[in-house]
Every structure is written in C-alpha cells, then in structure tokens.
C-alpha cells in the first residue's frame, strides 16, 4: 500500500491552490508529517523534502491520517506524543495529524480529507460512539483501512473498521468499584451508608459509557452505596471543578467521588479545598480516579487521591505493529485491549512513578 506520498503531495497542493481549508475547522489544526512539530499547527502546503536522511524517499513512507479528538487532558497529550514519537519518517511513516478540538464534526471533516488525499491508513480516536457509519463507509469504499484507537464506535456493520486498540473501560471501572468495596471493608465501613457522586466524562464517549457501566455493575451489589448524582465534567479540569462545586453545594455528606479521569479529579480537589473540606486517605472524602498520569501520582503522594485506575495512553507502538502486520498481509485481532493496572496510596508510589512514561 506504500507509494501514495507523491499523490498526497499533489492532492494537498491542489486543495491549497483551490483555497480550500483542509479541515474546515478554522484552520491551524492541520499539521503535516515531520513538519508538524515545527509548524506549530500552521497549515503547510509543501510536503517535506524528497529524502529525510533515513535513506527512504517519500514514496517509501506509509501515509497515516490520524484524527485525534482533542487535547482536553494530560492523558490525551501523552497519547498524542506516543503517536508522534512512533509514527516517524525514521520508522517508515508520513503522519497527517488533525486535532478535532472535541468536536465530532471536525473529526468527520478530517476523515473526509484523509480519504480525498488517499492516505494508506486512517487512525481515529472517536470523540463519541455514534454518528460514524457514513464516513467509515466512504473510507471502506476507498479501500482505506480504519484503525479505531482509544475509543470505540457503535456502527451497523463492524466491518467498517479494521480493529480497535485501547482500554477496557468497563473493566477499569469494575476494578475501581471492587477496590472501593475492599477499602471500606479494611476500614470497617462495609455496613455504613456510603454517599457517592460521579464526575462523568464526555457523554456518549466510550470512556464515559464504559466507566459508568462498570462502576454501576458493582454499585448494584452494594445496597448501602448511594449514587447521589452523576454529572458530566467533559474530561476537563475546569468543568470537573465546576461540577464538584455544584455537588458540594447540593449534598452535605459526600463520602466518595468517582472521577472518570484525572483532570476532573484535579478540579474536584481544588473545589473540595475551597469548600474547606479534605480528601484522600486522611481526609473526609475518598477520591477514585482514572488514567494514572504523572500529576495524579503526585496527588496520591500528597494524599489527595486514594486510588487511580490506569488507562494506558501509549497507543503509538501498538498502532505501528498493527500497520506493519497489515502491510505484511497478516490478519490482526479485531479488539486489542492495552495492558492496564491500578495504583493506591498503600503502594511504593515514588518508586513506581520513576519507571513511568506519562
Ligand atoms: O478516552 C480516554 C479518556 O479520554 C481518558 O481517560 C481521558 O483523560 C481522556 O480525555
């Protein structure tokens, strides 16, 4: 499938000459290949030089169109970095990167442009699960394999995508629920009435749907656990703080906060402190979060988050392997979950943090 690089160059030049925005999303989001780091997001009409110092010319490179959904969290930054450092010219790739700015319409436009340009592969982190049938059908008609990364889609026909690589969100959250049951037992609180609130991620996103479902499964097993309210903080720190402020104003007695990602947990911690309350292992409110990014380790070390359930963002090497397998004519597993674990304040977090990449 290699060798489309020249046609991509011509396509980009034509689109640019015609004065068309490649993304239609306000410009500035479209970044190309090796230039993307240097260009700072500026639209580039010219592609990189004929050779890149690796001995490969452009036509040897595999062209990947990557539609990232946004840059809403520390996790997302680490995820993007994983692609940027793996899908390099040295490794045989030419990467077209689009940031959807948390809008599905931007992502769909990006995919249509990738199809128009005739990329070899499309990698997409879909912001929500629904609404992808038509554009995925277009990719299929164009013969472009689509790899879903991080989040899933809900489509009529699963053949519209080649495979999914990402976290098992239901499992992450069931594990979190079981951890809570264990923790309360250790504290002799298993019979106590426990009031819980949940900061949900982006509604309709796989990470939100799976984590809501997973914790809900465990909640059903504990009649003394009461979910006071579930409200979306859109996976961002600012909204996480806003929603936590609302929870604190609305409910007098909150025992547990389930934050469906770390950035919302950071916002929640700020809101809890501002309300004159405390959280963490020695505080009034137990905080359970997801992602386990570096700053969340700092929170656990400082004693403000109790436990963090990992969502591994290092998808670059896995996507690289999938593409190389497909190039070699091998079949790939349809669903590929990344390895994930959890961390809590009973562990040697200083040591664990040293060996982590995000
Ligand atoms: O889809 C993965 C989730 O999206 C991560 O938990 C979160 O931080 C991100 O915004």
């Amino acid at each position: 499938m290699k060798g489309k690089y020249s046609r991509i160059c011509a396509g980009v030049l034509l689109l640019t000459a015609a004065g068309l925005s490649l993304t239609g999303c306000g410009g500035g989001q479209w970044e190309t290949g090796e230039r993307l780091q240097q260009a700072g997001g500026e639209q580039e009409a010219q592609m990189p030089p004929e050779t890149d110092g690796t001995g490969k010319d452009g036509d040897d490179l595999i062209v990947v169109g990557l539609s990232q959904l946004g840059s809403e969290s520390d996790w997302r930054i680490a995820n993007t970095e994983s692609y940027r450092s793996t899908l390099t010219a040295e490794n045989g790739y030419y990467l077209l990167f689009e940031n959807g700015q948390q809008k599905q319409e931007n992502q769909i436009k990006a995919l249509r442009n990738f199809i128009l340009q005739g990329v070899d592969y499309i990698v997409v982190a879909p912001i929500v699960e629904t609404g992808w049938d038509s554009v995925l059908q277009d990719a299929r008609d164009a013969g472009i394999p689509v790899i879903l990364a991080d989040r899933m889609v809900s489509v009529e026909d699963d053949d519209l995508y080649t495979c999914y690589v990402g976290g098992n969100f239901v499992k992450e959250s069931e594990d979190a629920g079981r951890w809570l049951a264990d923790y309360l037992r250790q504290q002799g609180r298993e019979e106590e009435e426990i009031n819980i609130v949940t900061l949900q991620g982006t509604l309709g996103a796989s990470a939100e749907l799976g984590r809501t479902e997973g914790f809900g499964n465990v909640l059903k097993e504990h009649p003394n656990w009461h979910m006071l309210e579930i409200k979306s903080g859109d996976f961002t720190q600012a909204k996480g703080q806003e929603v936590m402020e609302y929870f604190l104003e609305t409910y007098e007695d909150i025992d547990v906060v389930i934050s469906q990602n770390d950035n919302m947990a950071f916002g929640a911690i700020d809101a809890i402190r501002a309300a004159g309350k405390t959280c963490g292992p020695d505080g009034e409110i137990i905080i359970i979060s997801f992602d386990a990014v570096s700053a969340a380790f700092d929170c656990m070390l400082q004693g403000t988050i109790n436990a963090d359930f990992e969502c591994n963002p290092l998808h670059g090497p896995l996507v690289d392997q999938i593409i190389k397998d497909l190039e070699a004519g091998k079949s790939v597993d349809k669903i590929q979950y990344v390895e994930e674990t959890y961390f809590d304040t009973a562990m040697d977090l200083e040591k664990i943090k040293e060996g982590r990449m995000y």
Side-chain angles (χ1 to χ4, degrees):
M1 294 215 203
K2 294 181 187 177
K4 292 188 179 174
Y5 172 84
S6 305
R7 296 207 303 282
I8 298 268
C9 291
V12 170
L13 287 168
L14 271 175
L15 283 165
T16 309
L20 295 175
S21 159
L22 285 167
T23 63
C25 54
Q29 301 317 317
W30 125 274
E31 305 169 349
T32 60
E34 287 305 284
R35 291 187 176 206
L36 58 81
Q37 281 101 341
Q38 300 149 24
E42 273 305 297
Q43 181 168 318
E44 293 282 320
Q46 290 293 167
M47 288 295 185
E50 293 297 304
T51 61
D52 55 13
T54 62
K56 291 172 180 150
D57 75 12
D59 278 348
D60 287 328
L61 300 176
I62 299 169
V63 180
V64 175
L66 167 61
S67 169
Q68 180 59 284
L69 66 88
S71 42
E72 74 287 1
S73 62
D74 288 20
W75 186 96
R76 188 69 51 200
I77 308 297
N79 182 241
T80 296
E81 177 49 31
S82 174
Y83 290 118
R84 287 177 188 248
S85 58
T86 312
L87 304 181
T88 60
E90 290 72 25
N91 203 14
Y93 292 100
Y94 189 78
L95 179 64
L96 296 168
F97 179 87
E98 289 273 3
N99 182 336
Q101 305 285 340
Q102 294 259 72
K103 290 200 172 82
Q104 185 178 31
E105 73 222 52
N106 290 345
Q107 289 201 281
I108 290 176
K109 278 178 195 157
L111 260 58
R112 292 207 189 284
N113 283 322
F114 293 151
I115 296 166
L116 212 58
Q117 293 167 80
V119 300
D120 295 312
Y121 294 89
I122 289 174
V123 179
V124 55
I127 179 146
V128 290
E129 292 200 349
T130 53
W132 298 96
D133 292 76
S134 156
V135 72
L136 293 187
Q137 184 63 53
D138 290 350
R140 187 185 182 179
D141 293 346
I144 301 171
V146 174
I147 298 167
L148 304 177
D150 169 31
R151 296 183 188 171
M152 247 298 176
V153 294
S154 164
V155 282
E156 290 278 307
D157 178 0
D158 285 349
D159 286 347
L160 290 177
Y161 61 89
T162 304
C163 61
Y164 164 79
V165 54
N168 183 339
F169 302 117
V170 176
K171 181 178 181 305
E172 287 170 11
S173 200
E174 282 176 342
D175 289 348
R178 306 220 184 286
W179 180 92
L180 178 62
D182 224 46
Y183 185 72
L184 292 171
R185 197 173 316 120
Q186 281 169 29
Q187 301 207 325
R189 299 177 67 187
E190 69 265 46
E191 304 293 335
E192 216 177 275
E193 301 300 308
I194 301 292
N195 290 330
I196 308 172
V197 290
T198 295
L199 292 162
Q200 260 178 323
T202 305
L203 296 179
S206 306
E208 175 273 308
L209 294 167
R211 288 174 188 158
T212 303
E213 180 187 331
F215 193 82
N217 292 341
V218 182
L219 185 70
K220 282 185 219 146
E221 299 166 10
H222 297 273
N224 58 323
W225 293 9
H226 310 289
M227 185 61 73
L228 300 177
E229 193 166 342
I230 298 184
K231 200 169 163 64
S232 176
D234 214 13
F235 285 130
T236 69
Q237 183 158 341
K239 288 200 187 147
Q241 179 167 350
E242 207 178 291
V243 174
M244 192 65 220
E245 282 164 3
Y246 156 78
F247 282 155
L248 289 162
E249 279 160 20
T250 312
Y251 305 103
E252 232 170 68
D253 180 21
I254 297 171
D255 297 299
V256 181
V257 174
I258 306 294
S259 176
Q260 289 185 352
N261 87 341
D262 282 339
N263 286 80
M264 292 190 297
F266 305 151
I269 292 165
D270 287 344
I272 290 168
R273 280 187 175 140
K277 301 207 172 209
T278 55
C279 54
D282 297 322
E284 298 149 277
I285 302 175
I286 296 167
I287 298 202
I288 297 175
S289 184
F290 294 85
D291 286 352
V293 296
S294 176
F297 269 75
D298 295 338
C299 290
M300 285 190 281
L301 286 163
Q302 288 155 15
T304 49
I305 290 180
N306 295 67
D308 213 306
F309 290 76
E310 186 181 40
C311 181
N312 185 343
L314 305 179
H315 298 164
L318 297 162
V319 167
D320 170 38
Q321 190 55 53
I322 290 167
I323 292 176
K324 295 220 162 112
D325 283 348
L326 292 170
E327 287 286 303
K330 296 184 192 162
S331 62
V332 296
D333 289 341
K334 190 84 180 174
I335 303 291
Q336 303 193 26
Y337 290 127
V338 289
E339 272 185 38
E340 294 171 330
T341 182
Y342 79 96
F343 307 96
D344 66 24
T345 55
M347 299 175 182
D348 186 351
L349 296 173
E350 292 272 13
K351 188 145 182 241
I352 297 170
K353 191 179 172 226
E354 273 168 29
R356 287 176 65 76
M357 290 173 69
Y358 54 92

